[in-house]
Amino acid sequence: VPIVVAFVDSMTPTGKGNYTINLKDPTATIGASLHYKTKEHPQYGHHIVVGCVLVLKQIVVFAPARSRGPYFLNITQNNVQRVSIHTESIT
């Protein structure tokens, strides 16, 4: 997929440094695997948290065992184009 823009709805560590995350956009929710090197990236890794928006490029959609779903994304450092966070607090 050339471009994906989605909100990080949830993040769960896998125990090996990687994360399983759920991404949402106005049309759907999809699961993703976030590689540990992406989360540890010095420029943007600490900004990848629940509530941020990820702009991803050239993302691979994976379907286990050639099934019809569930599909999920495999996110690596090469896929991250931008991480946006909302910095204002809501009172």
Side-chain angles (χ1 to χ4, degrees):
V1 178
I3 296 286
V4 172
V5 179
F7 167 83
V8 176
D9 187 48
S10 67
M11 290 182 70
T12 305
T14 65
K16 297 179 181 179
N18 299 318
Y19 285 81
T20 299
I21 65 177
N22 281 325
L23 298 173
K24 278 189 170 185
D25 75 3
T27 63
T29 300
I30 191 167
S33 173
L34 181 72
H35 191 267
Y36 76 94
K37 287 185 180 180
T38 308
K39 183 68 173 132
E40 294 174 358
H41 193 279
Q43 289 180 312
Y44 56 75
H46 61 286
H47 292 300
I48 301 175
V49 295
V50 172
C52 77
V53 174
L54 295 177
V55 180
L56 306 169
K57 61 182 179 180
Q58 299 304 316
I59 194 80
V60 173
V61 179
F62 182 73
R66 296 182 182 241
S67 67
R68 294 184 183 207
Y71 300 107
F72 67 94
L73 308 179
N74 187 24
I75 303 170
T76 66
Q77 288 182 24
N78 293 334
N79 303 121
V80 178
Q81 186 168 349
R82 182 174 182 161
V83 179
S84 295
I85 58 171
H86 185 65
T87 57
E88 291 183 24
S89 61
I90 299 172
T91 57

